[in-house]
């Protein structure tokens, strides 16, 4: 089992390859043991497309009990992550990894999306800082954090699942990480459309048939069907994506016009 891809902490590692380096700063590094060991993340690690490890903030606590949290100034319930061990852990990580961006996972951050995944994928490495408890001491954010990112408007018990989501979304954008699979798959969301519907055998599942065109072997017709499926699913399920998309191409606009025409015919017949 890949327990983590440790790199020496005493000297900068060779980042001359195109590989991407992830370092997670957390009080629960073991949460990542399973994450590193499945599917595309595992293969990307094995193929050295990515390097990743999780470091325990506790190892940077100086006191005998290795405390990482403390009571909030001003009182109130809950605990706050102490700045010293967290700062030491982040500094150590950024000394090992040059050219990295440091990301704090927090509901206060910019809400993560595919465009941000592409942006992050251009950096040489990412240090992902996982908050726990009520949050981190504010002074950490000022000096040590480049980006604050939220994975969505809800509250987690810790930033770890958020860090996994960022690593997952960024890894699949790294050239070669998806293996033989097509780059087109990555493009599917970059043009802000949902994927077309997918089918596999059997041809009839509990009375539901696979669309006939997909069985026809007529590649051009299949492509047309997929494009239409993609545009119309987006219209029905996520119209907001179409509304914010300012670069619909000719084909995509024609599909919408065709259906507008069909809908107008129905209305005119009433
Ligand atoms: C998120 C989020 C989050 C906030 C961590 C309360 C524990 C928790 N992190 N996107 N303290 N949403 N973090 O909810 O990134």
């Amino acid at each position: 089992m890949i327990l983590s891809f440790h790199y020496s902490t005493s000297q900068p590692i060779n980042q001359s390859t195109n590989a991407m380096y992830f370092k997670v700063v957390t009080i629960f590094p073991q949460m990542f043991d399973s994450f590193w060991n499945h599917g595309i993340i595992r293969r990307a690690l094995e193929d050295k497309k990515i390097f990743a490890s999780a470091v325990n903030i506790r190892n940077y606590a100086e006191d005998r009990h290795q405390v990482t949290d403390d009571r909030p100034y001003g009182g109130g319930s809950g605990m706050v992550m102490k700045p010293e061990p967290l700062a030491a852990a982040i500094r150590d990580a950024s000394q090992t990894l040059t050219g990295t961006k440091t990301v704090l996972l927090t509901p206060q951050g910019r809400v993560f999306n595919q465009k941000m995944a592409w942006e992050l994928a251009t950096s040489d490495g990412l240090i992902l800082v996982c908050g726990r408890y009520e949050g981190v001491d504010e002074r950490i954010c000022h000096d040590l954090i480049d980006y604050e990112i939220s994975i969505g408007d809800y509250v987690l018990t810790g930033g770890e699942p958020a860090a996994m989501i960022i690593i997952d979304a960024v890894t699949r954008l790294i050239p070669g990480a998806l293996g033989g699979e097509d780059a087109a798959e990555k493009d599917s969301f970059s043009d802000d459309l949902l994927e077309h519907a997918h089918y596999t055998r059997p041809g009839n599942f509990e009375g539901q048939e696979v669309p006939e065109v997909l069985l026809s072997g007529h590649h051009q017709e299949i492509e047309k069907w997929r494009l239409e499926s993609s545009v119309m699913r987006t219209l029905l399920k996520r119209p907001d994506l179409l509304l914010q998309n300012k670069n619909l191409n000719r084909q995509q606009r024609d599909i919408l016009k065709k259906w507008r025409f069909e809908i107008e015919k129905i209305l005119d017949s009433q």
Side-chain angles (χ1 to χ4, degrees):
M1 187 166 80
I2 302 163
L3 274 180
S4 78
F5 278 67
H6 287 288
Y7 9 89
S8 155
T9 47
S10 54
Q11 62 190 73
I13 43 169
N14 178 13
Q15 290 171 245
S16 58
T17 59
N18 287 324
M20 175 98 191
Y21 291 77
F22 297 105
K23 198 153 208 171
V24 183
V25 175
T26 168
I27 59 165
F28 293 133
Q30 293 93 331
M31 280 181 77
F32 291 81
D33 293 348
S34 165
F35 180 62
W36 306 139
N37 278 285
H38 291 89
I40 287 175
I41 300 294
R42 183 195 180 105
R43 194 179 57 200
L45 283 162
E46 286 169 351
D47 295 349
K48 301 194 182 327
K49 304 280 185 216
I50 64 170
F51 293 84
S53 71
V55 294
N56 197 336
I57 299 163
R58 214 170 272 286
N59 297 342
Y60 294 86
E62 300 278 358
D63 63 303
R64 205 163 61 83
H65 297 289
Q66 301 195 290
V67 174
T68 58
D69 61 337
D70 205 345
R71 290 168 17 242
Y73 273 120
S77 65
M79 300 294 268
V80 176
M81 288 183 96
K82 278 173 75 63
E84 308 96 315
L86 191 51
I90 296 169
R91 287 207 172 97
D92 189 27
S94 44
Q95 259 178 18
T96 336
L97 293 177
T98 53
T100 52
K101 295 291 178 197
T102 303
V103 175
L104 175 67
L105 288 317
T106 164
Q108 283 148 58
R110 252 174 81 198
V111 178
F112 189 60
N113 62 21
Q114 190 64 27
K115 193 164 163 252
M116 288 160 76
W118 280 107
E119 264 172 50
L120 294 178
T122 64
S123 75
D124 293 336
L126 293 177
I127 296 162
L128 297 134
V129 181
C130 305
R132 280 262 153 189
Y133 323 117
E134 301 307 302
V136 305
D137 187 289
E138 187 67 20
R139 294 162 294 181
I140 287 291
C141 311
H142 286 149
D143 299 346
L144 294 163
I145 302 295
D146 297 311
Y147 305 114
E148 295 186 5
I149 296 179
S150 165
I151 57 156
D153 293 335
Y154 38 77
V155 184
L156 305 172
T157 62
E160 288 78 5
M164 291 179 200
I165 283 167
I166 308 276
I167 294 169
D168 196 274
V170 170
T171 294
R172 64 185 291 290
L173 300 180
I174 293 165
L178 290 184
E181 290 157 56
D182 57 338
E185 212 211 316
K186 304 176 197 173
D187 294 340
S188 62
F189 215 96
S190 68
D191 63 4
D192 271 338
L193 291 179
L194 300 180
E195 285 269 288
H196 59 74
H198 298 275
Y199 298 90
T200 184
R201 287 179 293 181
N204 180 314
F205 174 67
E206 299 181 352
Q208 298 185 81
E209 299 278 358
V210 173
E212 222 172 88
V213 59
L214 299 181
L215 312 174
S216 69
H218 197 310
H219 292 297
Q220 217 178 324
E221 287 302 308
I222 291 169
E223 260 330 290
K224 260 178 67 186
W225 181 90
R226 286 186 169 160
L227 183 65
E228 182 153 354
S229 169
S230 173
V231 171
M232 292 313 289
R233 268 152 67 95
T234 312
L235 177 67
L236 293 173
K237 297 179 185 212
R238 292 292 308 279
D240 58 303
L241 291 179
L242 286 175
L243 207 52
Q244 81 184 26
N245 188 336
K246 300 294 175 247
N247 339 285
L248 289 173
N249 65 33
R250 184 58 187 265
Q251 260 181 314
Q252 293 163 342
R253 294 199 310 266
D254 283 347
I255 292 163
L256 289 168
K257 284 178 191 167
K258 183 185 104 184
W259 284 95
R260 174 173 67 186
F261 183 70
E262 294 299 324
I263 291 165
E264 279 172 353
K265 266 201 309 200
I266 296 167
L267 289 171
D268 290 347
S269 75
Q270 298 300 300

